[in-house]
Amino acid sequence: KSLIRSLCRLATVGSLYLAGFTQAGPAHAALMIPNNTTVGIITHIKFVDGAWIYEQRPEKIDGSLQLSSLVKIHDISDGAITITQLAEISQSVALPSAEPRQCLIWIVRVVESLAASGLVKLTSAQGLMTEFIEFLRETGHMQELTSIQIL
């Protein structure tokens, strides 16, 4: 909770973050663009009734019970990414097959598509995934790593 409180004061409005969420079972990942220092819009997929579905919705930064980490992957000073651009690119990335625990892999594929569109800089998709998993481990927020595949 204190980690998020300090991060929400530092969250840059309009920047793009890789967000980690705690939940029952394995950790969950999403992309977030903060509207202000207390609320952002997340883009993610969720596993419902044996299938992945796309979702974009508001999410609290300050006071969230599940948001465990924010890692900035694009600063607004390098160019704005709109919620609409993020939605269009995210929806163009194929949803995973009906296997659970695929959200981080899908998020990294979205970041690859953002990079291909010139909206973010990405040197290594595998490096991004590995770095995020290590960050979650170091902060104690990665509960379970079974079935997460490194690209």
Side-chain angles (χ1 to χ4, degrees):
K1 189 90 172 163
S2 62
L3 173 67
I4 294 302
R5 285 180 195 252
S6 63
L7 284 175
C8 76
R9 286 192 290 271
L10 300 174
T12 307
V13 174
S15 291
L16 181 64
Y17 291 84
L18 186 50
F21 292 85
T22 57
Q23 58 185 14
H28 182 65
L31 292 171
M32 177 184 279
I33 297 177
N35 293 339
N36 53 53
T37 58
T38 59
V39 177
I41 301 296
I42 65 165
T43 297
H44 71 128
I45 56 174
K46 59 185 184 177
F47 200 63
V48 177
D49 297 327
W52 288 101
I53 60 170
Y54 169 84
E55 181 180 55
Q56 190 173 60
R57 64 175 173 77
E59 175 71 33
K60 287 183 182 179
I61 299 171
D62 188 20
S64 172
L65 297 176
Q66 293 181 318
L67 181 63
S68 62
S69 58
L70 287 174
V71 177
K72 188 186 293 185
I73 60 173
H74 177 79
D75 192 84
I76 192 166
S77 66
D78 294 326
I81 299 172
T82 67
I83 300 299
T84 301
Q85 288 172 310
L86 181 57
E88 288 172 355
I89 289 173
S90 298
Q91 290 175 23
S92 74
V93 174
L95 294 174
S97 62
E99 297 176 36
R101 302 179 185 155
Q102 299 292 308
C103 62
L104 182 56
I105 294 167
W106 182 83
I107 289 294
V108 171
R109 289 189 177 132
V110 171
V111 174
E112 287 178 307
S113 293
L114 290 166
S117 298
L119 293 171
V120 301
K121 295 175 186 160
L122 178 66
T123 55
S124 167
Q126 181 175 348
L128 174 63
M129 183 180 287
T130 301
E131 185 177 335
F132 187 65
I133 289 170
E134 288 304 314
F135 175 78
L136 292 178
R137 280 185 182 145
E138 289 170 11
T139 58
H141 296 293
M142 182 57 88
Q143 306 291 324
E144 183 179 336
L145 283 176
T146 58
S147 297
I148 291 184
Q149 304 165 357
I150 302 297
L151 296 175

